[in-house]
Amino acid sequence: MTYVVTDNCINCKHTDCVSVCPVDCFYEGPNFLAIHPDECIDCDACVEACPIDAIYNEDDLPEEKKHFLDINEQLASIWPQITDQKEPMADAEKWNNVEGKLEHLIKSAADEKC
Ligand code: SF4
Ligand code: F3S
């Protein structure tokens, strides 16, 4: 099992989750974080830490967010690890709970979209 970062993290990236993860299994892209499924130990700490409820236990993923399981696995394998909390993105408040955020996900510095 694993925990999964979902769409509401896009363009917010509060990173409180990073500060509580005991195994440092978060990986950082330009506007999203991903959890490496092979490294997560299912401790549950990050769910409450995220101020905008972007993280789910894999078993609790709503149907419309299940594709984020593959997205986390794919991106966690190409992005660098993040181990320290940092400032949220500048427009984090504005982007909270915006619909259709997946189209804004940036996979690389070259602005390649998912
Ligand atoms: Fe890290 Fe625990 Fe969240 Fe897994 S459930 S990503 S180990 S804080
Ligand atoms: Fe994203 Fe929430 Fe972590 S917004 S960076 S999943 S604290």
Side-chain angles (χ1 to χ4, degrees):
M1 207 175 71
T2 184
Y3 280 61
V4 182
V5 185
T6 65
D7 52 338
N8 206 24
C9 179
I10 296 168
N11 283 346
C12 292
K13 215 164 70 165
H14 285 276
T15 71
D16 302 66
C17 53
V18 173
S19 69
V20 300
C21 182
V23 292
D24 292 336
C25 62
F26 283 90
Y27 292 79
E28 183 183 19
N31 68 347
F32 185 66
L33 253 55
I35 293 170
H36 199 302
D38 297 338
E39 298 172 4
C40 173
I41 59 169
D42 307 326
C43 75
D44 199 56
C46 54
V47 172
E48 290 223 346
C50 178
I52 56 172
D53 301 324
I55 303 179
Y56 290 77
N57 178 313
E58 174 183 356
D59 290 342
D60 297 334
L61 272 175
E63 197 60 38
E64 70 276 10
K65 295 184 191 292
K66 286 199 188 308
H67 51 298
F68 276 92
L69 194 52
D70 286 343
I71 290 171
N72 275 241
E73 183 169 25
Q74 180 200 357
L75 297 177
S77 65
I78 60 171
W79 283 346
Q81 189 181 38
I82 173 172
T83 56
D84 293 313
Q85 186 169 4
K86 60 204 275 189
E87 289 296 311
M89 295 186 73
D91 290 329
E93 299 237 337
K94 190 184 98 182
W95 280 96
N96 185 23
N97 286 327
V98 170
E99 294 287 321
K101 288 173 101 175
L102 183 55
E103 66 179 272
H104 300 282
L105 175 59
I106 302 169
K107 287 171 73 173
S108 74
D111 279 3
E112 185 189 350
K113 303 276 177 67
C114 269

